[in-house]
Amino acid sequence: GCRFVIDIGGQDAKGIRLSADGSVEDFVMNDKCAAGTGRFLSAMGQALGVPVDSLSAYAAGAEPHRINAMCTVFAESEVISLIHQGVSRNAIIAGLHASIARRTASMVASLHPEPPIAFTGGVSQNADIVERLSAELGHPVIVPHDAVYAGAIGAALLAWEHGRKTG
C-alpha cells in the first residue's frame, strides 16, 4: 500500500512515487552532493564530537538553531563557529536535522508525496529526523522494519527474479 518512498543513504537522497501496484511512476534524486545524507551527518557529528548514532538523542525536544549552509564543508565551518559562539550542541544538531527535513521535503515536493510514505536508508534510523520530516511533509513517515537494508533487499530480489527468468 505504500505510495511514496524517501530513501536517504550515505551519499544520496531519493524520492520515489509509486503507483497502486507498486511500480515506479516518477522519482527525484539529490545527486549533486552529499548534503543531508549519512555522510553529511557523520561529518557534522565529528565536528560536534557526537557519535552519529547519538545525534537523535541530542536533538530530541531541542529548539533548532537555524543552519544556513547545507554544503558539508560550509556547514562544518558554520557548526564550528556556532560552537565557539556558545550555541548548544543540542540546538545545532536540531538545526541540522530541521535543515535536512526542509531540504528533503523541498526535493520531493514536485512529486506530490501521498501517504503512506515509507522512509528507508541509514538516515531513517534517526528518530528526530523522522519526526521533523513528518512535520515538514504534513504526513506521518513510516520506517519499515529493516529499512536500512531496503536497497540491498531490493537488489537481491531483482537479481533473484532475473535469475529465474534467464536460468
Side-chain angles (χ1 to χ4, degrees):
C2 181
R3 297 302 309 264
F4 203 86
V5 177
I6 293 172
D7 181 88
I8 306 177
Q11 298 294 326
D12 61 25
K14 296 176 271 312
I16 307 161
R17 188 178 66 226
L18 304 169
S19 66
D21 71 356
S23 302
V24 174
E25 287 184 341
D26 203 356
F27 73 94
V28 293
M29 183 173 173
N30 169 23
D31 57 357
K32 290 184 174 59
C33 67
T37 67
R39 178 67 191 112
F40 174 83
L41 286 171
S42 180
M44 296 307 106
Q46 206 166 24
L48 289 157
V50 176
V52 73
D53 60 351
S54 298
L55 291 174
S56 184
Y58 274 79
E63 184 65 33
H65 187 280
R66 179 85 176 167
I67 304 295
N68 297 311
M70 277 306 289
C71 168
T72 303
V73 174
F74 295 137
E76 189 171 7
S77 295
E78 185 175 355
V79 162
I80 291 167
S81 175
L82 291 171
I83 291 168
H84 290 305
Q85 292 173 31
V87 177
S88 77
R89 280 176 167 71
N90 303 57
I92 295 169
I93 295 167
L96 290 166
H97 290 174
S99 292
I100 290 169
R102 275 192 311 276
R103 180 183 177 99
T104 302
S106 176
M107 178 185 74
V108 303
S110 66
L111 299 181
H112 309 288
E114 297 176 25
I117 300 170
F119 186 15
T120 63
V123 176
S124 71
Q125 303 306 288
N126 183 313
D128 188 62
I129 291 177
V130 172
E131 186 176 315
R132 293 177 193 278
L133 184 56
S134 293
E136 283 292 328
L137 293 170
H139 301 292
V141 175
I142 301 159
V143 179
H145 179 70
D146 292 335
V148 71
Y149 303 113
I153 292 167
L157 288 170
L158 284 172
W160 179 73
E161 274 186 31
H162 180 73
R164 283 188 8 189
K165 290 177 184 174
T166 61

